[in-house]
Amino acid sequence: MKPVETRYARSGDLHIAYQVVGQGALDLVFAPGFISNLDVQWEDPGYSRLLTRLSAFSRVIPFDKRGTGLSDRVDAAALPDLTARMDDIRAVMDAAGSGRAAILGACEGAPMAMLFAATYPERTRALVLYGGYAHFHSCVMDRKALERFLDTADARWGSGATLESFAPRLTKDARFARWWARFERLSASPGAAVALARMNAAIDVRGVLSALRVPTLLIHRTDDPQVSPEASRYLKQKIAGARLVELPGSDHPIWLGDIDRIADEIEEFLTGTRPVREVDRVLAALLVARIDGAERLASRLGDRAWLKRSEDFRAAAFAATERLCARDIRWEGDRLVARFDGPARAVRTALVLRQAGEALRLPLAQGVHVGEIETGGETMTGLAVQVAERIAQSARPGDIAASSLAAELSAGSGLHFSARDAIDVEGHGQPLAIVLVIAEQHLEPAAARTRVQPSLDVLTLREREILTLVADGMRNPAIAASLALSEHTVKRHVANILAKLDLPSRTAAAAFSVGQAGH
């Protein structure tokens, strides 16, 4: 999905950031939980997947609540009540041209959504409340637990310390933990986080539940670490006609865990039809490109410079994958995953991406593999996807690593590979043989060895002829026209010349040819 434009709605004296995703028949306003950042959250594959699913049948309108993300901050000395915060939904709907919408409220967004539905029933089509509650202290934290949370936020905000409270199973995932720490920093400052928590602690909408007269779906994970499932069970008792779906899981954020199951429930509730996803098994060439050390680079550059650079790279990546006929493209945080009909196209795309990364000073490590995958809608799953990700993970910055199978299936493409150590892949019975892609301009051996003086004797007559034309400054298309050969054949000959003479580039080959002519 291409980058989504962030817009601003005016709510009193504050500016509220929002986005519009999709063009479905119904509007779905997404009121987020404790913290959010509309730009940063797209980096997480779960969030991207959730909004992709929801936007398939609706026009999704997510926003950052006042005091969070890209929206204006609030005065910690004069915290607004829930009624004032609820008005942000109205402001966003007005700005987005939405007269009536379903409201998806997640965690703290749920009481806000309920208060809006009670205040503006004519503008509320339905309520979807995920991990919601009516009374903070009885369902989320008692006063002592709140003070402990406030102390942690004040002392350790921005370090990822709150991950234990929201998704404890991911605390051992170093990559996600680093991203969560960055998500904290870009969603709120320490002072803003404390102010948000104090605002949430004042939430009590038990008095409006009996006034709700809109269709309501309640979704709660059975092992939610932040909000007890009893909170949604209470809401079911108090909201007329409410339907409760309890799902297994221990993640609190709606965009983590089994996202498709949540999206299925929401789609069926709002449209009356449960989605049926056809799953096909196909053989595909996969490319995974990851920005090595993305978190460190983002921290060093600063948010604005990092966002600009990553957006420029995404634009270049989309252009490259489109030009080389990628069948499927998706972003997962700092990684691109693309599917092609053949490995040669995947490798050539990787070469283009490496050049784009070098131009933007973004170190890329890439992996290519061929295997059977399952496709259903916009998903790509299967062991082959995991293998491609593992290959990319093993690659060093600047490297394009590939499985030996991908190299074998690229025979005749003019691409060159050099052997590398095998790697272990979970779910793969034996070590996987890996090769490195060698571009035409980078054909020097991977390992240092004694230099042997090159000689024209190792070249065929045709290769010598082409070398002479290279020395004359001719490019491959001109050489092909001059010798009545295909451009692909000329490219293969040039690659062979560089490999046989152990030369790093066309320029070096031209210099060598001129030197030989002088003898």
Side-chain angles (χ1 to χ4, degrees), residues 347 351 354 400 414-419 435-446 495:
V347 171
L351 292 168
R354 181 163 66 182
I400 302 170
L415 296 168
H416 289 260
F417 304 88
S418 65
V435 298
L436 290 180
V437 178
I438 306 175
E440 183 177 318
Q441 66 269 32
H442 296 289
L443 284 171
E444 54 268 76

Side-chain angles (χ1 to χ4, degrees), residues 45 99 107 134 144 214 236 245 256 304 331 344 381 461-463:
C107 193
K144 289 184 178 179
V214 298
K236 182 180 185 302
V245 176
L256 294 178
R304 182 172 297 180
W331 286 93
T381 59
L461 291 177
R462 176 64 82 183
E463 288 168 349

Side-chain angles (χ1 to χ4, degrees), residues 194-385:
V194 169
L196 287 167
R198 292 195 184 282
M199 284 192 290
N200 293 337
I203 290 176
D204 185 355
V205 294
R206 290 174 292 184
V208 307
L209 300 183
S210 60
L212 294 176
R213 292 291 184 270
V214 298
T216 302
L217 172 66
L218 307 166
I219 302 176
H220 214 113
R221 287 186 170 127
T222 54
D223 296 307
D224 188 318
Q226 186 73 6
V227 181
S228 169
E230 290 298 330
S232 286
R233 295 167 190 159
Y234 174 82
L235 293 176
K236 182 180 185 302
Q237 293 176 358
K238 298 299 181 180
I239 301 175
R243 173 173 171 253
L244 172 61
V245 176
E246 295 192 24
L247 301 176
S250 59
D251 296 311
H252 176 66
I254 188 174
W255 37 272
L256 294 178
D258 190 352
I259 297 155
D260 282 321
R261 179 67 190 280
I262 291 174
D264 287 347
E265 296 292 345
I266 295 174
E267 182 171 354
E268 182 179 15
F269 174 69
L270 294 178
T271 68
T273 303
R274 194 171 187 86
V276 177
R277 296 188 301 280
E278 296 183 0
V279 176
D280 295 321
R281 297 182 69 84
V282 298
L283 187 68
L286 300 170
L287 165 64
V288 175
R290 65 179 181 87
I291 300 174
D292 188 73
E295 293 87 354
R296 295 190 303 273
L297 188 59
S299 177
R300 179 170 61 84
L301 291 175
D303 297 330
R304 182 172 297 180
W306 165 250
L307 183 61
K308 174 66 168 62
R309 192 173 296 188
S310 58
E311 285 181 348
D312 287 346
F313 176 69
R314 286 194 178 207
F318 274 116
T321 50
E322 202 169 87
R323 186 170 69 252
L324 288 158
C325 303
R327 294 289 301 275
D328 193 4
I329 309 163
R330 62 188 171 111
W331 286 93
E332 295 187 350
D334 56 9
R335 294 179 301 170
L336 166 71
V337 181
R339 166 191 161 201
F340 299 83
D341 287 334
R345 284 182 174 175
V347 171
R348 295 192 194 286
T349 301
L351 292 168
V352 174
L353 293 184
R354 181 163 66 182
Q355 291 180 341
E358 290 172 349
L360 293 167
R361 298 190 300 283
L362 293 175
L364 292 187
Q366 303 182 79
V368 177
H369 181 54
V370 175
E372 193 175 64
I373 64 171
E374 293 182 356
T375 63
E378 298 187 20
T379 63
M380 286 189 291
T381 59
L383 179 60
V385 179

Side-chain angles (χ1 to χ4, degrees), residues 411-427:
S413 65
L415 296 168
H416 289 260
F417 304 88
S418 65
R420 206 198 77 175
D421 292 340
I423 62 172
D424 293 322
V425 178
E426 185 177 354

Side-chain angles (χ1 to χ4, degrees), residues 3 32 56 134 157 183 185 204 206 237 259 271 365 405 452 484 492 499 517:
W157 186 260
F183 174 54
R185 295 191 297 272
D204 185 355
R206 290 174 292 184
Q237 293 176 358
I259 297 155
T271 68
L405 176 60
V452 177
R492 188 177 70 248

